[in-house]
Amino acid sequence: MPLLVVGTLGLDSVETPSERRENVLGGSAVYFSYAASYFTSVKLVGVAGDDWPAEYTALLESRQIDMRGVQIVPGGRTFRWRGRYRANMNDRDSLETQLNVIAKFDPVLPEEHRRCPFLFLANGPTELQHKILDQCSGATLRVADTMELWIRTQPERLAELLKRIDGLVMNDSEARLLSGQENLVAAGHSIRQMGPRFVVIKKGEHGAMFFSKHETYVLPAYPTPRVVDPTGAGDSFAGGMMGYLAEQGNFEPGTLKEAMAYGILVASFTVEDFSLDRLKRIERDDLQHRMEEYRKMLSF
Amino acid sequence: MPLLVVGTLGLDSVETPSERRENVLGGSAVYFSYAASYFTSVKLVGVAGDDWPAEYTALLESRQIDMRGVQIVPGGRTFRWRGRYRANMNDRDSLETQLNVIAKFDPVLPEEHRRCPFLFLANGPTELQHKILDQCSGATLRVADTMELWIRTQPERLAELLKRIDGLVMNDSEARLLSGQENLVAAGHSIRQMGPRFVVIKKGEHGAMFFSKHETYVLPAYPTPRVVDPTGAGDSFAGGMMGYLAEQGNFEPGTLKEAMAYGILVASFTVEDFSLDRLKRIERDDLQHRMEEYRKMLSF
C-alpha cells in the first residue's frame, strides 16, 4: 500500500572526528522516503528553496518516490542543519538549524495524497503535523516523530497530536524529556498513556524499543564496525519500519516486530557512509541478506 | 562441572538518586558466585577482614557455594567500595575504593580447587589473577574480567594475562580504553587479537556483545522498568554466563550464546533491588520463566 510522508528536505553539513561534508542531501523526509522505497511506493510531501539541486529530486524519483508533493519556493532557502559528532559517534551537537522555507510551509494535499492509507509525520513543526492529519483523516495508520525543539516549545500542541496518532517514534533523550522518566521502559509506557497505541524509542547504536499495551521489547542494533556518519539513521529506521508495514498492508504485532527489525537494518546501512551514499549502493537483496544474519544473531 | 571464582568479597556503600545503603554485601566474587549458583556448584576463593559478617558467609553457603577458599584475616579490613549513581542509573561515580586485605592476598589453592575445570578470574588485581592461573594450569576454560584501574596501572601484566586466558569479559568503557577504539565492534575484535579466543563487552542497560573469530553478535538487556541499584550487574552477568557453561560442561558457540542470555537475565534480576536482595527471592524457575519471555521477545 502507498505511504505518505511529510517532513524536511534538507541540506546538511556534518563533521565527524575524521571527516566533514558540506550541504549534502539530508532531511527527515528524504532519509525516510529513500529507506521506505525498498518496500513500497512513497509519496513525499515537503518544501525546498530554489537552492535545492534538481539532481536530488531526480535521485529520489529514481527510487519511484512520488515528488509531486514537493513545493519549490522561488527565492526561498532550503532547510539546513549543521552538526558535529563526538568521538563515540553516538552523541552529537547541533551547531545550527535553519528552518527556512519549512517554517511557513502550509501544504494543501491533492486528493490522491489524502487517501494514502499509511501516513508518517516525520520530524518537523508540530503545527504542520496537525495540518496534515486534518487532511488525511481517513488514514489507516498514522505515526509521527518529534524532537526536543517541539517538546520544549509546543508542549500543548504536541499533547493534542499524541491523541490523534496511532504510533509515536522518538529517540531516547526525547522520550526521557517528554515523559520525565529516566528509565526507558517506564518512559515508553508513560508516553503510550498520553495517546498513541504504540511507542518506539530509538537508542542509536543500541537499537530500538517497542511499547504497546501488551508488549514491551527491545531489539539491538546490527553491529556494524563501520560507522561513518550516523545522520539520518533515525529517519531511515522509521522509513524502513513504515515501508515494511505499508508493504505488508497491516500492523499486527508480528508485522510490527518484523518492521522494527527492517528499520534497524536500513539504519545500519545508512550510518556506513555520509548522506544517502551507502543506501545508494544497496538493493532489497542486501537488506534481505543482513536480515538473515540478524535473525541468526538473535537465535539461540 | 564445578566452577572456581577468585575475586573480591566486599562491603558496598551505594547512593542512587532516591536511596542509599551502607556496607551491604557486595564484591565481584560474591555477585558472581550467587549468580552462578543457580546453575552449578561454585568454589569461591577470596579474602575478607574480621569485619566480615558471618551471616554473609552463611548466606552464600545456603546456596551450596563452597566457602572453604575464603580466608579471614584477623585484624584485617574487608574490601570496600562506595559509589553514586547518576540519574540515568547507568553511569556512576566511584567515590572510594579501599582494597584493604585483597591488596596482599596470596592464596595457595588446595588440590581440589586447582583441578576445577571452569575458572573465572573476577575483577581484582592482575597479579592475583596470574597467581591463580599458575596454580590452575589444567583448567578447561579460563575467563577473566578486568577494569580501568588495572588497564591503566598494570598494562604489561594485563597484556600477558590476555595471552593466558580463553575469554575476557569487560564493560564498554573499559573495552574502549584497552583497545583505543571508539566503535565497540572494532574494539571487541581488536581485543580478541590480543590473546583471548572470545571477548564479551557488557553494555549495562544495553545488553552485551560477543566476539570470536567467526562470530559477532549483540544481545539486548531484558527491559525491566524497575532499576533500583545496578551494582553487581556485570558480575552477576558473568556468573550466570559461566555458571551455565559449567552446567553444560562445554563452550561450543551455541552454548556460549545461551550462556550470554542467562547472564543477561540474572543481571536483570540483580538490578531490581540493592545488593543480593532481589536474587535472594528468586529460584531457577524464575530465570527459566524470564528466559521464555526473552526468547519470545527476540523472535519474529
Side-chain angles (χ1 to χ4, degrees):
Chain A
M1 291 186 176
L3 168 61
L4 181 73
V5 57
V6 187
T8 55
L9 291 83
L11 299 174
D12 290 344
S13 295
V14 179
E15 289 175 43
T16 71
S18 56
E19 287 184 85
R20 60 192 298 165
R21 290 289 186 282
E22 295 286 329
N23 297 318
V24 295
L25 176 57
S28 61
V30 168
Y31 277 108
F32 179 96
S33 299
Y34 205 99
S37 74
Y38 293 101
F39 303 95
T40 195
S41 62
V42 182
K43 296 182 193 303
L44 196 166
V45 172
V47 62
D50 50 17
D51 53 350
W52 175 256
E55 68 191 79
Y56 289 171
T57 298
L59 171 70
L60 295 164
E61 283 175 339
S62 77
R63 296 287 315 172
Q64 278 72 55
I65 295 166
D66 180 345
M67 298 292 284
R68 288 174 299 164
V70 174
Q71 192 183 320
I72 304 290
V73 178
R77 256 171 87 82
T78 299
F79 171 88
R80 281 162 200 255
W81 176 79
R82 178 180 292 276
R84 183 188 293 141
Y85 288 88
R86 302 194 189 169
N88 66 13
M89 293 298 268
N90 206 38
D91 299 320
R92 71 183 187 191
D93 300 304
S94 280
L95 304 179
E96 193 182 6
T97 303
Q98 298 179 12
L99 292 179
N100 295 335
V101 290
I102 196 154
K104 296 191 175 173
F105 184 43
D106 190 4
V108 177
L109 302 183
E111 192 53 33
E112 190 187 340
H113 283 60
R114 293 177 189 228
R115 286 200 313 266
C116 235
F118 286 77
L119 172 63
F120 189 75
L121 307 167
N123 234 321
T126 311
E127 212 54 60
L128 172 60
Q129 295 180 318
H130 272 291
K131 283 177 182 163
I132 300 296
L133 280 176
D134 293 342
Q135 297 176 53
C136 299
S137 55
T140 310
L141 181 68
R142 293 150 297 186
V143 181
D145 194 346
T146 192
M147 65 188 290
E148 184 176 338
L149 178 63
W150 319 114
I151 297 170
R152 290 197 189 279
T153 62
Q154 314 193 348
E156 291 86 8
R157 287 300 272 160
L158 182 60
E160 289 164 21
L161 187 87
L162 295 183
K163 297 191 195 311
R164 302 183 69 190
I165 56 177
D166 303 292
L168 181 68
V169 173
M170 64 203 320
N171 74 29
D172 43 7
S173 62
E174 292 155 0
R176 290 193 169 106
L177 177 66
L178 179 59
S179 67
Q181 300 268 5
E182 279 291 335
N183 179 289
L184 290 175
V185 182
H189 284 294
S190 154
I191 293 167
R192 193 178 53 72
Q193 283 161 1
M194 298 176 189
R197 280 193 285 164
F198 68 85
V199 172
V200 174
I201 299 180
K202 300 174 285 185
K203 302 199 296 171
E205 65 168 317
H206 302 301
M209 308 178 89
F210 179 91
F211 306 91
S212 67
K213 188 170 179 187
H214 299 293
E215 280 195 303
T216 302
Y217 58 79
V218 51
L219 293 176
Y222 178 88
T224 175
R226 182 175 162 77
V227 179
V228 173
D229 172 18
T231 307
D235 300 311
S236 304
F237 165 85
M241 184 187 91
M242 290 295 293
Y244 184 75
L245 291 174
E247 181 190 49
Q248 299 299 307
N250 76 75
F251 41 97
E252 297 300 314
T255 315
L256 269 165
K257 197 186 277 190
E258 287 171 347
M260 289 268 293
Y262 275 109
I264 283 168
L265 297 182
V266 184
S268 77
F269 280 110
T270 298
V271 304
E272 291 178 348
D273 208 338
F274 283 94
S275 186
L276 292 168
D277 292 354
R278 184 74 178 98
L279 290 189
K280 281 191 228 168
R281 301 193 301 271
I282 69 162
E283 290 299 332
R284 174 75 184 249
D285 273 357
D286 299 287
L287 286 169
Q288 226 43 50
H289 178 71
R290 199 165 272 195
M291 176 59 94
E292 281 161 33
E293 288 181 17
Y294 187 67
R295 280 186 196 274
K296 197 175 152 202
M297 175 179 113
L298 297 178
S299 302
F300 56 87
Chain B
M1 289 186 178
L3 168 61
L4 180 74
V5 58
V6 186
T8 56
L9 291 84
L11 298 174
D12 290 345
S13 295
V14 179
E15 289 175 43
T16 70
S18 58
E19 287 183 85
R20 61 191 298 164
R21 291 288 186 284
E22 293 287 328
N23 297 319
V24 295
L25 176 57
S28 61
V30 167
Y31 278 108
F32 179 95
S33 299
Y34 206 100
S37 74
Y38 293 102
F39 304 94
T40 195
S41 61
V42 182
K43 296 181 193 306
L44 196 165
V45 172
V47 63
D50 49 16
D51 54 348
W52 174 257
E55 68 190 81
Y56 288 173
T57 298
L59 171 70
L60 295 164
E61 284 175 339
S62 77
R63 296 289 313 173
Q64 278 71 53
I65 295 166
D66 180 346
M67 297 292 282
R68 288 175 298 167
V70 174
Q71 191 183 324
I72 304 291
V73 178
R77 259 172 84 83
T78 299
F79 171 88
R80 280 161 200 258
W81 176 79
R82 178 180 293 277
R84 184 187 291 140
Y85 288 88
R86 302 194 189 168
N88 66 13
M89 293 297 268
N90 207 39
D91 299 320
R92 73 183 185 189
D93 300 305
S94 280
L95 305 179
E96 193 183 5
T97 303
Q98 297 178 10
L99 292 180
N100 296 334
V101 290
I102 197 157
K104 295 191 175 174
F105 185 44
D106 190 3
V108 178
L109 302 184
E111 192 52 34
E112 190 188 339
H113 284 59
R114 292 178 190 226
R115 285 200 313 266
C116 236
F118 286 76
L119 173 63
F120 189 74
L121 307 167
N123 234 321
T126 310
E127 212 53 58
L128 172 60
Q129 295 179 319
H130 272 290
K131 283 177 183 164
I132 300 296
L133 281 177
D134 292 342
Q135 297 176 53
C136 299
S137 55
T140 310
L141 181 68
R142 293 150 299 185
V143 181
D145 195 347
T146 193
M147 64 187 292
E148 185 177 337
L149 178 63
W150 318 114
I151 298 170
R152 289 197 190 280
T153 62
Q154 314 192 345
E156 291 86 7
R157 286 300 271 161
L158 183 59
E160 288 164 21
L161 188 86
L162 295 182
K163 297 192 194 311
R164 301 183 70 190
I165 56 177
D166 302 293
L168 181 69
V169 173
M170 62 201 323
N171 76 27
D172 43 7
S173 62
E174 292 155 0
R176 289 191 169 108
L177 177 64
L178 179 59
S179 67
Q181 300 268 4
E182 279 291 334
N183 179 289
L184 290 176
V185 182
H189 284 295
S190 153
I191 293 166
R192 193 177 54 71
Q193 283 162 0
M194 298 175 190
R197 279 192 285 164
F198 67 86
V199 172
V200 174
I201 298 180
K202 301 174 285 185
K203 302 198 297 170
E205 65 168 316
H206 302 301
M209 308 179 88
F210 179 91
F211 306 91
S212 67
K213 188 171 180 186
H214 299 294
E215 280 195 302
T216 301
Y217 58 79
V218 52
L219 293 176
Y222 178 88
T224 176
R226 181 174 163 78
V227 179
V228 173
D229 172 18
T231 308
D235 300 313
S236 305
F237 165 85
M241 182 187 93
M242 289 295 292
Y244 184 75
L245 292 174
E247 181 190 51
Q248 298 300 307
N250 75 75
F251 40 98
E252 297 299 313
T255 314
L256 270 165
K257 198 186 276 187
E258 287 172 348
M260 290 269 295
Y262 275 109
I264 282 168
L265 297 181
V266 184
S268 76
F269 281 109
T270 298
V271 304
E272 291 179 349
D273 208 337
F274 283 95
S275 184
L276 291 169
D277 292 357
R278 184 74 179 99
L279 290 189
K280 282 190 226 168
R281 301 193 303 271
I282 68 161
E283 290 298 333
R284 173 75 185 249
D285 273 358
D286 299 287
L287 285 169
Q288 228 41 52
H289 179 70
R290 198 165 273 194
M291 177 59 94
E292 282 162 32
E293 289 181 18
Y294 187 66
R295 279 186 197 274
K296 196 175 152 202
M297 174 179 114
L298 297 178
S299 300
F300 55 87

